[in-house]
Amino acid sequence: MNRLHPFIDLDRDAVADLTADYSLGELRSVEPLVSGIINTNYLLRTDAGDYLLRLYPPERSADALRFEFSTLARLAEANFPCPRVIADAKGKTVGLSEAHTRHYAVLEFIPGETLAREAIDAGIVEQIGDLFADMQRTLSGFVPEGDKPRADLEFVRELGEATLDRVAALAGEGPATAARLRAIWAGSHARFDQPRDGAPSLERGVVHADLYFDNVIVEGDRVRGIIDFDDSYYGLFLIDLAVTLMEFTFVEADALDFGLGERLLRRYYARRPEAKGEAHLVHDGMICACFKYLGYTADLPEYAGEALLGNEYIARIDYLARPEIRAKVEAMVAAAVEAPS
């Protein structure tokens, strides 16, 4: 699944034209932010403040953007630290650049630094646990505007099958690797299909779907904001928890920091005790998340050809599938669930 898009070069005049109908103040500087691989982002510094100009890929519809922006508005109403979407003089939040055949938007720029992976520590994961719980509590029962395709179990199954077909076609270890991964996925998927006696149905709502360190803004040791909700969709809260847990506790491809994981989950379950009924599926949710991101990253240049066998998420899947690691994850989750609030 190719999600990569080239950066769109804009000069100062082009930026001024796109933002002419916004009350942003006098434009002082335009800085391209080239680290992204999907959207094109520019930091705009004006005499009224700092803003983010974002151009979305051509396939991103106005309906999908309304979904994202109504979600951000709901979170902003609850004082959740996320970007505010800026409307133009006519009250519109979604613009269309005919020259580039893609939609764009202007968002509030949250000051601070992107969280570095090596800066993740106990204090950071506890804040993430709190904020993640607050986000889900705010979005529970919320019905957004617009629509977005879902990216949960069935999507992951289809994406995973397509990716594993590519793995199976590789020379050497390709067929054996694909067969091993298919067996792991079949086991996890089956457990999702087997409801536990007395357990409620898995809760669905709007999920962030990409909460990892690059999407966290910090100042020193304090989390200032959660950004990049453009992958958000209506899906399983459990899968989103698994994604977040995985991304903040894997210190290496095959090494999970169980201490950090327990701290994050303790804070999460303390603020969302109603989610404890889904805790028995956290481990399988992490495996599901790995298959999803294996599919998402398979087209990165560093995984071309047989290099795909070295994908970080294949290593994570194999690691999580080890019986002793499953037991440790389940013990970590149980300790967090049983901890006093």
Side-chain angles (χ1 to χ4, degrees):
M1 181 180 186
N2 193 345
R3 288 158 45 95
L4 310 182
H5 292 275
F7 191 87
I8 304 300
D9 290 319
L10 299 176
D11 59 24
R12 186 187 180 96
D13 289 341
V15 169
D17 286 343
L18 289 177
T19 58
D21 291 335
Y22 295 80
S23 299
L24 304 182
E26 182 180 350
L27 187 61
R28 291 179 173 173
S29 66
V30 176
E31 178 184 342
L33 304 177
V34 297
S35 59
I37 60 174
I38 300 175
N39 304 311
T40 291
N41 297 307
Y42 284 88
L43 170 58
L44 313 183
R45 298 195 185 277
T46 80
D47 58 4
D50 296 341
Y51 301 93
L52 184 75
L53 172 64
R54 169 167 290 172
L55 281 78
Y56 293 86
E59 65 269 19
R60 189 64 54 88
S61 68
D63 210 29
L65 293 179
R66 282 192 290 271
F67 182 103
E68 176 188 347
F69 295 166
S70 64
T71 297
L72 288 172
R74 175 70 185 96
L75 290 169
E77 289 173 359
N79 294 316
F80 185 84
C82 63
R84 272 61 170 173
V85 184
I86 308 300
D88 67 11
K90 297 179 181 178
K92 296 191 304 180
T93 55
V94 180
L96 175 63
S97 171
E98 295 183 357
H100 302 96
T101 61
R102 60 190 65 210
H103 292 98
Y104 69 92
V106 177
L107 298 94
E108 172 191 50
F109 185 80
I110 298 178
E113 302 291 333
T114 300
L115 175 65
R117 188 172 196 167
E118 58 271 17
I120 297 174
D121 59 15
I124 291 292
V125 299
E126 287 178 347
Q127 292 177 75
I128 294 298
D130 288 343
L131 286 170
F132 189 79
D134 291 346
M135 180 177 68
Q136 288 196 340
R137 289 171 61 189
T138 300
L139 296 177
S140 180
F142 169 68
V143 179
E145 300 174 13
D147 192 26
K148 287 280 292 293
R150 298 187 179 185
D152 274 332
L153 294 176
E154 288 309 307
F155 170 85
V156 174
R157 182 183 63 79
E158 294 175 6
L159 177 62
E161 283 296 326
T163 306
L164 293 182
D165 285 345
R166 291 172 58 181
V167 172
L170 297 174
E173 294 297 316
T177 299
R180 184 178 71 250
L181 296 181
R182 289 187 203 277
I184 294 170
W185 172 242
S188 285
H189 198 280
R191 283 184 284 273
F192 274 101
D193 289 339
Q194 296 171 357
R196 178 177 284 190
D197 290 343
S201 299
L202 298 179
E203 185 177 5
R204 293 182 181 272
V206 178
V207 299
H208 184 286
D210 196 25
L211 182 47
Y212 75 119
F213 49 88
D214 263 4
N215 288 334
V216 175
I217 303 299
V218 296
E219 278 190 343
D221 59 1
R222 186 165 72 93
V223 175
R224 286 292 306 270
I226 306 297
I227 62 172
D228 283 0
F229 282 74
D230 48 304
D231 273 350
S232 61
Y233 65 94
Y234 194 87
L236 293 172
F237 277 176
L238 171 69
I239 299 297
D240 212 29
L241 172 63
V243 169
T244 302
L245 177 64
M246 177 178 71
E247 294 297 348
F248 284 91
T249 57
F250 263 102
V251 291
E252 296 177 13
D254 59 351
L256 187 67
D257 189 317
F258 295 98
L260 290 180
E262 184 177 334
R263 284 177 178 270
L264 189 155
L265 289 173
R266 277 178 180 249
R267 299 294 281 259
Y268 171 76
Y269 287 125
R271 293 170 98 101
R272 281 204 82 229
E274 63 272 25
K276 292 181 179 181
E278 302 178 356
H280 62 289
L281 286 172
V282 166
H283 176 267
D284 291 301
M286 294 174 75
I287 289 178
C288 176
C290 286
F291 275 98
K292 180 177 179 179
Y293 286 98
L294 171 60
Y296 280 174
T297 59
D299 286 307
L300 292 175
E302 58 263 39
Y303 295 131
E306 293 184 12
L308 180 57
L309 293 172
N311 187 289
E312 176 181 6
Y313 290 100
I314 291 179
R316 288 189 183 188
I317 293 167
D318 283 332
Y319 173 79
L320 287 168
R322 288 159 50 185
E324 69 274 19
I325 299 303
R326 181 181 184 91
K328 287 185 176 181
V329 171
E330 291 176 344
M332 172 186 73
V333 174
V337 166
E338 295 164 6
S341 300

